[in-house]
Amino acid sequence: DILMTQSPLSLPVTLGQPASISCRSSQSLVHSDGNTYLNWFQQRPGQSPRRLLYKVSNRASGVPDRFSGSGSGTDFTLHISRVEAEDLGVYYCMQGTHWPRTFGQGTKLEIK
Amino acid sequence: QVQLQQWGAGLLKPSETLSLTCGVSGGSFSNYYWSWIRQTPEKGLEWIGDINHSGDTKYNPSLKSRVTMSVDTSKDHFSLKVTSVTAADTAVYYCARGAIMIYGLVGFSVQPLFDYWGQGILVTVSS
């Protein structure tokens, strides 16, 4: 199975400041079709995960443009340009290139 | 707007069979793979498997021996069964739209989505 490793696991942030979360995979996530199937999800307390980004850097419908994604191969990053109160929660990366699908451990974004 | 609504028993005894169903509304049921994912504090999010409208399945090898997924295209429902449950199967179970089937000249390719999720059901296994 592909191991997805996120860091940090806890990220204290100041509202209005930027934040970044790293995700590394144990193998390249480049698919034979040329796409890189790396998703980012946000999970607020008591809610289901919500897809934020797909194929590394494509924002899902309704996702604010303060969220962006970068990376390639095995190293990926979720960027939040200015953290707002509604962004607090746990963030997960997930690879969809290989079977079985696997998720990172999650990064808890909390107020400093 | 696609919506997924889940239902099933939330309390089981060890050795019983977990049974959950997910209904899809507001969009096409065909040409997609539909997923089951579970979440525990210890292991986080774990993909259980996918099924498409034709009944083609892909299971996580870690659970494959105990998992069966099925589909009812007349009702736009898909279901999950996990046999011989133990306390380790206690989790919040989610259904989701897992992938889209992209048809080409020869066959189809599968592109992951995970864009719509059900509300989640807590399943507790306890004697």
Side-chain angles (χ1 to χ4, degrees):
Chain A
D1 297 2
I2 305 301
L3 181 63
M4 304 295 288
T5 304
Q6 291 183 226
S7 63
L9 299 184
S10 177
L11 182 55
V13 297
T14 301
L15 294 180
Q17 294 301 303
S20 293
I21 300 170
S22 171
C23 175
R24 290 186 173 176
S25 58
S26 59
Q27 292 182 32
S28 172
L29 300 185
V30 180
H31 195 275
S32 57
D33 67 6
N35 290 305
T36 300
Y37 294 112
L38 186 283
N39 286 1
W40 286 98
F41 297 90
Q42 174 195 61
Q43 189 175 31
R44 295 173 174 143
Q47 295 187 10
S48 303
R50 168 199 180 198
R51 190 179 70 164
L52 292 178
L53 301 169
Y54 61 97
K55 289 193 282 187
V56 181
S57 59
N58 295 273
R59 270 189 300 276
S61 176
V63 173
D65 60 7
R66 63 178 180 276
F67 290 94
S68 62
S70 64
S72 62
T74 61
D75 287 351
F76 305 93
T77 304
L78 171 68
H79 306 274
I80 309 174
S81 59
R82 294 173 307 279
V83 174
E84 298 189 5
E86 66 179 16
D87 300 336
L88 304 182
V90 182
Y91 290 78
Y92 298 92
C93 59
M94 187 215 81
Q95 66 83 18
T97 296
H98 304 281
W99 302 95
R101 315 309 198 189
T102 48
F103 293 83
Q105 321 97 298
T107 295
K108 188 174 184 179
L109 193 71
E110 50 196 3
I111 295 292
K112 186 181 292 184
Chain B
Q1 177 79 343
V2 175
Q3 292 188 320
L4 281 71
Q5 181 74 29
Q6 311 172 220
W7 62 91
L11 181 61
L12 297 172
K13 291 182 167 54
S15 80
E16 291 185 334
T17 295
L18 179 157
S19 182
L20 298 174
T21 298
C22 184
V24 178
S25 61
S28 173
F29 189 73
S30 299
N31 303 317
Y32 292 95
Y33 277 85
W34 301 92
S35 302
W36 289 99
I37 303 105
R38 68 182 185 179
Q39 185 173 31
T40 63
E42 299 78 23
K43 296 183 71 175
L45 290 161
E46 181 180 28
W47 174 78
I48 300 171
D50 287 0
I51 187 167
N52 73 3
H53 63 283
S54 300
D56 180 50
T57 54
K58 300 185 187 298
Y59 297 145
N60 192 323
S62 67
L63 294 163
K64 187 174 182 177
S65 64
R66 297 192 295 125
V67 166
T68 302
M69 293 182 185
S70 60
V71 65
D72 184 343
T73 54
S74 68
K75 297 180 180 178
D76 287 357
H77 291 172
F78 62 105
S79 298
L80 169 71
K81 291 188 187 299
V82 181
T83 60
S84 304
V85 297
T86 69
D89 295 307
T90 294
V92 177
Y93 286 75
Y94 295 101
C95 58
R97 191 167 76 171
I100 187 169
M101 300 163 64
I102 306 292
Y103 289 88
L105 293 175
V106 180
F108 62 88
S109 64
V110 176
Q111 291 203 7
L113 293 174
F114 294 92
D115 52 351
Y116 294 98
W117 292 63
Q119 78 277 19
I121 291 181
L122 173 61
V123 176
T124 302
V125 181
S126 174
S127 56

